[in-house]
Amino acid sequence: MRAILAIDQGTTNSKAVLVSEKGEIVGRGSAPVGISYPKPGWVEQDPRRLYASVCEAVDACLKAGPDVTIEAVAISNQRESVTAWDADTGEALGPVVSWQCRRTAQDCERLIAEGHLDRVQALTGLPLDPMFPGSKFRWLLDRIPAGPVRLGTIDSWLIHCLTGGRRYACDASNAARSQLFDLRDQRWSEELGEIFGVDIALLPEVLDSSADFGRTQGLRGVPDGTPIMAAIGDSHAALFGHGAFKPGDGKVTFGTGSSVMKTLSQFIPPRNGVTTTVAWRIEGKPTFAFEGNILVCAASLPWMTDILGLPDVAALVELAASAEPGGPGFVPAFVGLGAPYWNADARALFSQINFNTTRAQMARSVTDSIAFQVNDVISAMRTQSGGALGTLYVDGGPSQNRFLMQCVSNLIEHPVIQCEAPEASALGAAYLAGLSLGLWSDLEIVAALPRNTRTIEPQPVDRAVFLDTWNDALARSTFRETKAKGE
């Protein structure tokens, strides 16, 4: 059997899947990555451990799957996380500074005060926020030894490792999330490099998402010389994996954080708190998308599970489902708020708690916060584009839970489509590699590949009451910053 080995390197786990010529997953493997919090608001990972987890996931996948001939390797990866390594030795020089990390918040505030916000947004489609890599690259450069250095997003680090240091490249979707890439010109921008203090000569070559990224070297179980034929950011890969190729189609990926994306017919400048990004690039032509990045989504579930002394997240969701809606509000601003608010100073809190508040209501407020954040992002996208929301897919672990997805559908007043296989990102990367290889000739054939799905239709709810509670909690979450500015 011929297959594509797709690597999905995520924030908490690295996964690997084998995808057959029919587009079916025939083998799976995963391994934990590990994450550390050296200071409040700081989030980082060990780049060596990150790559080791990829190797472990690949090994587990190959042992669990059938005997196959691996035609190519494909990569999807956590985005906006960056690292640096020695250009001569290939050794890591610093940590992986995570997309969740807020260590450069003051640097971003300084750049805003200097008047760079509008120009950065115009060129990159992204706000000046510590989630994005521009300021993180500068932070790394200020703390690593002098000498030949390479800076990269996670796809470029993996490509470096997988090819034995022979290739230094990234794809356009990851470049588009770096804050150093001009979306219209599709190239690294010297102007942006000057704003952030980063020499763009230190950045990797930018290729299409479906392209030749080199040959494997030393990856156990995979013959040396196996081509790496796709690389793409995980959220973009999920959009592609669902076949959301028509303008207006979108997806919500539920994970540690959450990404809401909507495919566009053309580039539209960002506003209303959502970003504009390259969804993927094929044969030199970029497809654009709106995106809203939610910083904390499912990560709040295990936290609340521990607080309530429950055995697992499933028990938390079951408890939440037993409560009537309309209890206290909860804002999961553990590391500030992302789209559409972009408030680094917001803080996590519960609101409107009283002596009658139950454990079930507390659990429900945490699960409902997932739907509220998605609704706010989709509302901002609807306002900005003026076009109707098309088919909306959901993926990631929480997407498999009917109760959670019913809450989302109810609040946004739109059907959502659950996909049986949660590995949408890995599938999207595999599909792109298949296009490179000629296994599938065009997007129509990719869209027609078998996908087991279930549609959840919205049910009527009293949205006004729900949103009043949520908006009150949001106002309280950001009160400290609002008060400080008023003073």
Side-chain angles (χ1 to χ4, degrees):
M1 179 190 298
R2 301 168 68 196
I4 294 169
L5 173 65
I7 295 165
D8 179 20
Q9 201 298 299
T11 306
T12 55
N13 293 283
S14 293
K15 300 176 183 178
V17 301
L18 289 170
V19 181
S20 73
E21 293 177 89
K22 296 180 180 180
E24 299 171 337
I25 294 176
V26 296
R28 293 176 169 90
S30 67
V33 180
I35 193 163
S36 61
Y37 307 91
K39 296 181 182 180
W42 289 37
V43 187
E44 64 184 40
Q45 295 174 298
D46 181 344
R48 292 165 290 268
R49 172 57 206 160
L50 186 147
Y51 181 62
S53 72
V54 167
C55 296
E56 292 166 12
V58 168
D59 188 52
C61 175
L62 296 179
K63 288 179 179 177
D67 289 335
V68 297
T69 299
I70 299 175
E71 297 289 327
V73 173
I75 297 169
S76 74
N77 61 278
Q78 57 167 305
R79 307 166 309 149
E80 292 106 22
S81 298
V82 296
T83 194
W85 60 97
D86 190 294
D88 291 336
T89 67
E91 291 300 313
L93 296 175
V96 170
V97 183
S98 171
W99 60 273
Q100 291 182 302
C101 189
R102 315 301 286 177
R103 72 185 65 190
T104 59
Q106 290 186 344
D107 299 314
C108 292
E109 290 173 2
R110 174 181 54 79
L111 292 171
I112 292 172
E114 292 173 356
H116 295 298
L117 175 60
D118 289 344
R119 186 58 178 161
V120 169
Q121 284 188 312
L123 291 174
T124 69
L126 305 173
L128 274 168
D129 185 88
M131 173 180 173
F132 301 106
S135 58
K136 294 174 184 174
F137 280 134
R138 183 65 254 172
W139 187 94
L140 283 167
L141 287 172
D142 287 339
R143 288 160 178 82
I144 59 179
V149 64
R150 289 178 170 176
L151 299 172
T153 47
I154 298 305
D155 63 327
S156 61
W157 170 245
L158 294 181
I159 290 164
H160 163 80
C161 294
L162 289 167
T163 62
R166 291 173 174 80
R167 196 66 188 273
Y168 184 37
C170 71
D171 98 293
S173 74
N174 279 286
R177 308 301 292 179
S178 71
Q179 283 192 319
L180 296 169
F181 190 72
D182 187 319
L183 289 189
R184 288 185 175 86
D185 290 346
Q186 291 289 293
R187 61 175 177 80
W188 298 122
S189 166
E190 291 186 3
E191 180 183 353
L192 290 166
E194 291 176 1
I195 290 172
F196 288 101
V198 176
D199 182 357
I200 62 172
L202 304 178
L203 299 171
E205 178 185 5
V206 181
L207 304 179
D208 288 347
S209 307
S210 181
D212 188 341
F213 288 88
R215 301 293 184 270
T216 60
Q217 183 71 36
L219 179 60
R220 188 169 65 180
V222 178
D224 287 351
T226 301
I228 304 169
M229 299 303 290
I232 185 170
D234 52 9
S235 188
H236 314 248
L239 190 71
F240 195 89
H242 290 304
F245 304 139
K246 298 177 182 177
D249 287 351
K251 64 92 203 182
V252 186
T253 297
F254 296 92
T256 303
S258 187
S259 165
V260 185
M261 296 187 81
K262 176 182 175 181
T263 307
L264 301 174
S265 60
Q266 61 186 359
F267 176 83
I268 299 176
R271 57 185 176 88
N272 296 328
V274 298
T275 66
T276 304
T277 193
V278 174
W280 50 77
R281 197 173 78 186
I282 299 174
E283 296 181 349
K285 182 179 179 181
T287 295
F288 293 100
F290 281 150
E291 180 169 15
N293 302 99
I294 297 168
L295 301 183
V296 175
C297 177
S300 62
L301 301 181
W303 171 80
M304 193 61 183
T305 298
D306 290 341
I307 293 291
L308 294 178
L310 297 169
D312 51 34
V313 169
L316 175 76
V317 176
E318 183 179 357
L319 179 63
S322 71
E324 291 295 325
F330 172 69
V331 180
F334 295 97
V335 290
L337 288 171
Y341 331 99
W342 296 113
N343 188 324
D345 295 317
R347 292 295 178 264
L349 57 76
F350 288 94
S351 69
Q352 301 187 32
I353 296 173
N354 56 51
F355 283 123
N356 293 320
T357 300
T358 66
R359 295 169 77 249
Q361 287 176 322
M362 297 286 284
R364 178 69 186 256
S365 68
V366 172
T367 59
D368 280 350
S369 71
I370 294 172
F372 284 127
Q373 291 184 101
V374 170
N375 176 69
D376 285 357
V377 170
I378 288 178
S379 295
M381 289 181 177
R382 283 168 165 161
T383 299
Q384 180 168 349
S385 68
L389 181 63
T391 304
L392 184 66
Y393 301 91
V394 293
D395 61 78
S399 73
Q400 301 300 297
N401 186 277
R402 174 70 187 232
F403 167 73
L404 294 177
M405 294 305 101
Q406 187 68 65
C407 291
V408 171
S409 178
N410 294 348
L411 202 59
I412 67 174
E413 299 181 300
H414 192 86
V416 301
I417 298 179
Q418 288 179 304
C419 300
E420 185 173 292
E423 301 94 347
S425 295
L427 282 170
Y431 295 160
L432 284 161
L435 286 173
S436 295
L437 292 170
L439 291 182
W440 306 298
S441 58
D442 55 39
L443 295 184
E444 287 188 7
I445 291 177
V446 171
L449 290 172
R451 296 170 176 85
N452 294 324
T453 62
R454 297 179 297 275
T455 300
I456 297 177
E457 297 288 344
Q459 298 171 350
V461 295
D462 192 343
R463 295 179 75 251
V465 172
F466 292 170
L467 292 174
D468 282 348
T469 301
W470 167 248
N471 289 328
D472 173 73
L474 272 179
R476 295 173 188 273
S477 174
T478 58
F479 175 74
R480 284 198 321 149
E481 188 215 12
T482 303
K483 183 179 179 182
K485 287 183 177 179
E487 293 172 350

